[in-house]
């Protein structure tokens, strides 16, 4: 690829916007790099090779300019405008294909993932609706599941949203021109929301495992605690830590977009690139601070994942041991009920699904950290692209099926779901109304003794 920083003088209307100047300059350099100068709609005069003078051929030419500005007979004010533009020109189709969405990526980002996200959002909203309609579902475990559903909802809203917009608009990778001047704010917020949802999901899964272990293996202590206050405190701590820890990712994304963008791509002359626009907005930043923050963020995510995995596996092993432990008192005290065993099994399945889906991301974070700190560890761009795509799909799948797994596996949840969405009136239990006159009167002595 050729990287070129164009610094030109444009003869155009005084009211010409920066976007129109970008288009004019990009059109000129596209013709130059593609050797089509004779067929361009832009004329130029190179008094200085490093600073050419260009103008639109459909407008008036700058003949014999005596002043900085010039009024043409149509009363349109024209003037000389200095303009600079960052340009990237591809040498061959192999380089250009890395920036173009293939048919597979277009179908995946444009249709498959949006459908999965929509189904996941609908399942989470139905879970919220069930909790609101059925009062018996408002328990501590469901409170944790509600927070987990909120974290999954954050992931579904922010994950691959940028890629979906690109697949349906420009189909140029890393292009954010569809966002205009708000690209930095929108993309930073999306990435931050995504990271907070991921860390919160892992933390609440670990908290659910501990809650099941404590409720089944220590039932008397579990009943004597103020569970609601304790659950609220635990949830607040998890959300606070998630928002605080991901500030590193927030500043890293902010720095990545805090550079002058590349606004012109010169595509090869092959026919398959004719439909692609050269006026883009790409951000490339090799700042050392950004790489350091990215390294710290990768190590932090790997440590959080491993800590949560160790704690969750420990709690589940202790829970299984407690469920199968012999009862020393015989049949006087019953063990965990069938419902508790079912809920525990479902939570265990959910936990396994979560950690299996997040395991590739933890491995990639470790590899990316090692590749930045050690030169002997090197990962090709194709492997990075394939790994990121797999991680994105697993994140969306995990966030979409969490509520489905729990609702489909629990009989009480299925019953509550039917009750929440059923429009029929509840059947009233018939009562026998006995007239007061028919009731025998009690003797005063009996009333005193009672």
């Amino acid at each position: 690829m050729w990287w070129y920083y164009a610094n030109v003088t444009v003869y155009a209307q005084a009211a010409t916007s920066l976007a129109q100047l970008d288009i004019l300059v990009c059109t000129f350099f596209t013709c130059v790099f593609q050797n089509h100068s004779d067929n361009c709609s832009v004329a130029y005069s190179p008094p200085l090779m490093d600073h050419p003078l260009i103008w639109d051929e459909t407008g008036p030419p700058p003949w014999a300019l005596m002043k900085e500005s010039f009024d043409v007979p149509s009363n349109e004010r024209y003037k000389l405008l200095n303009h600079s533009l960052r340009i990237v020109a591809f040498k061959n189709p192999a380089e250009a294909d890395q920036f173009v969405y293939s048919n597979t990526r277009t179908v995946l980002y444009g249709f498959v993932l949006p459908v999965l996200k929509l189904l996941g959002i609908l399942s989470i909203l139905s879970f919220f609706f069930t909790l609101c309609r059925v009062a018996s579902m408002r328990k501590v475990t469901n409170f944790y599941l509600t927070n987990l559903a909120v974290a999954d909802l954050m992931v579904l809203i922010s994950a691959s949203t940028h890629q979906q917009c690109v697949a349906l608009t420009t189909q140029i990778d890393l292009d954010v021109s569809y966002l205009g001047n708000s690209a930095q704010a929108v993309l930073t917020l999306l990435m931050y929301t995504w990271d907070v949802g991921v860390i919160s999901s892992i933390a609440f899964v670990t908290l659910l495992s501990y809650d099941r272990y404590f409720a089944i293996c220590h039932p008397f202590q579990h009943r004597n605690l103020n569970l609601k206050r304790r659950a609220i405190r635990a949830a607040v701590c998890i959300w606070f830590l998630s928002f605080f820890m991901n500030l590193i990712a927030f500043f890293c994304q902010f720095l990545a977009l805090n550079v002058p963008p590349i606004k012109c791509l010169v595509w090869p002359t092959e026919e398959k690139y004719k439909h692609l626009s050269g006026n883009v907005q790409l951000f490339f930043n090799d700042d050392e601070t950004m790489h350091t923050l990215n390294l710290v963020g990768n190590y932090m995510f790997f440590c959080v994942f491993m800590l949560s995995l160790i704690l969750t596996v420990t709690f589940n092993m202790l829970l299984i041991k407690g469920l199968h432990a012999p009862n020393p008192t015989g049949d006087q005290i019953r063990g965990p009920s069938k419902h508790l065993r079912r809920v525990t099994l479902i939570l265990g399945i959910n936990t396994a699904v979560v950690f299996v889906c997040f395991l590739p991301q933890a491995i990639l974070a470790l590899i990316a950290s090692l590749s930045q700190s050690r030169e002997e560890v090197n990962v090709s761009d194709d492997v990075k692209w394939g790994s990121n795509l797999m991680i994105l799909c697993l994140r969306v799948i995990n966030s979409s099926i969490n509520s489905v797994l729990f609702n489909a596996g629990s009989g009480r949840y299925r019953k509550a779901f039917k009750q929440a969405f059923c429009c029929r009136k509840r059947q009233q239990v018939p009562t026998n109304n006995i007239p007061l006159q028919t009731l025998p009167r009690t003797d005063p002595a009996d009333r005193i003794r009672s």
Side-chain angles (χ1 to χ4, degrees), residues 28-46:
F28 166 72
F29 281 98
T30 299
C31 292
V32 172
F33 281 111
Q34 293 180 348
N35 296 322
H36 294 162
S37 301
D38 296 336
N39 298 326
C40 286
S41 60
V42 179
Y44 73 100
S45 175

Side-chain angles (χ1 to χ4, degrees), residues 22-238:
D22 291 338
I23 295 174
L24 186 65
V25 176
C26 186
T27 302
F28 166 72
F29 281 98
T30 299
C31 292
V32 172
F33 281 111
Q34 293 180 348
N35 296 322
H36 294 162
S37 301
D38 296 336
N39 298 326
C40 286
S41 60
V42 179
Y44 73 100
S45 175
L48 295 176
M49 296 303 297
D50 294 335
H51 196 98
L53 171 65
I54 65 176
W55 66 92
D56 189 352
E57 281 192 338
T58 60
W63 302 122
L65 296 176
M66 302 301 295
K67 298 180 180 180
E68 182 182 358
S69 60
F70 179 73
D71 293 330
V72 295
S74 60
N75 293 328
E76 293 179 345
R77 184 175 178 83
Y78 279 68
K79 63 184 300 184
L80 297 175
L81 303 171
N82 291 326
H83 191 66
S84 59
L85 193 68
R86 299 180 68 186
I87 302 171
V88 170
F90 299 109
K91 297 180 181 179
N92 49 61
E95 294 180 346
D97 290 341
Q98 298 178 1
F99 287 82
V100 182
Y101 271 29
S102 61
N103 294 332
T104 303
R105 295 178 69 181
T106 301
V107 172
L108 184 63
Y109 287 130
F111 301 98
V112 177
L113 287 179
V115 172
L116 289 177
K117 291 171 65 174
L118 179 60
L119 294 177
I121 292 173
L122 290 178
S123 66
I124 291 174
L125 293 180
S126 65
F127 176 71
F128 291 157
F129 183 76
T130 302
L131 294 182
C132 293
R133 287 290 302 272
V134 182
S136 61
M137 299 291 292
R138 300 166 193 169
K139 298 181 180 179
V140 174
T141 302
N142 292 334
F143 175 76
Y144 292 141
L145 287 173
T146 302
N147 284 271
L148 178 61
V150 171
D152 290 335
L153 190 62
M154 294 173 65
V155 173
L156 291 175
I157 292 175
S158 57
S160 73
T161 302
H162 165 60
Q163 289 84 349
Q164 293 170 21
C165 295
V166 171
L168 298 176
T169 54
T170 63
Q171 294 188 350
I172 300 174
D173 196 13
L174 304 178
D175 182 22
V176 295
S177 58
Y178 67 94
L179 292 174
N181 297 327
S182 60
Q184 185 180 29
V186 173
L187 294 180
T188 302
L189 182 60
L190 284 176
M191 184 60 66
Y192 184 62
T193 304
W194 186 1
D195 292 330
V196 170
V198 169
I199 297 295
S200 301
S201 297
I202 298 175
F204 278 111
V205 166
T206 304
L207 186 59
L208 277 167
S209 300
Y210 171 74
D211 178 71
R212 287 296 88 197
Y213 156 73
F214 191 67
I216 292 179
C217 295
H218 303 280
F220 297 106
Q221 299 178 15
H222 185 266
R223 293 172 185 174
N224 293 331
L225 292 176
N226 190 342
L227 297 179
K228 292 184 178 180
R229 182 180 299 177
R230 185 180 181 185
I232 293 174
R233 290 178 179 176
V236 170
C237 290
I238 287 178

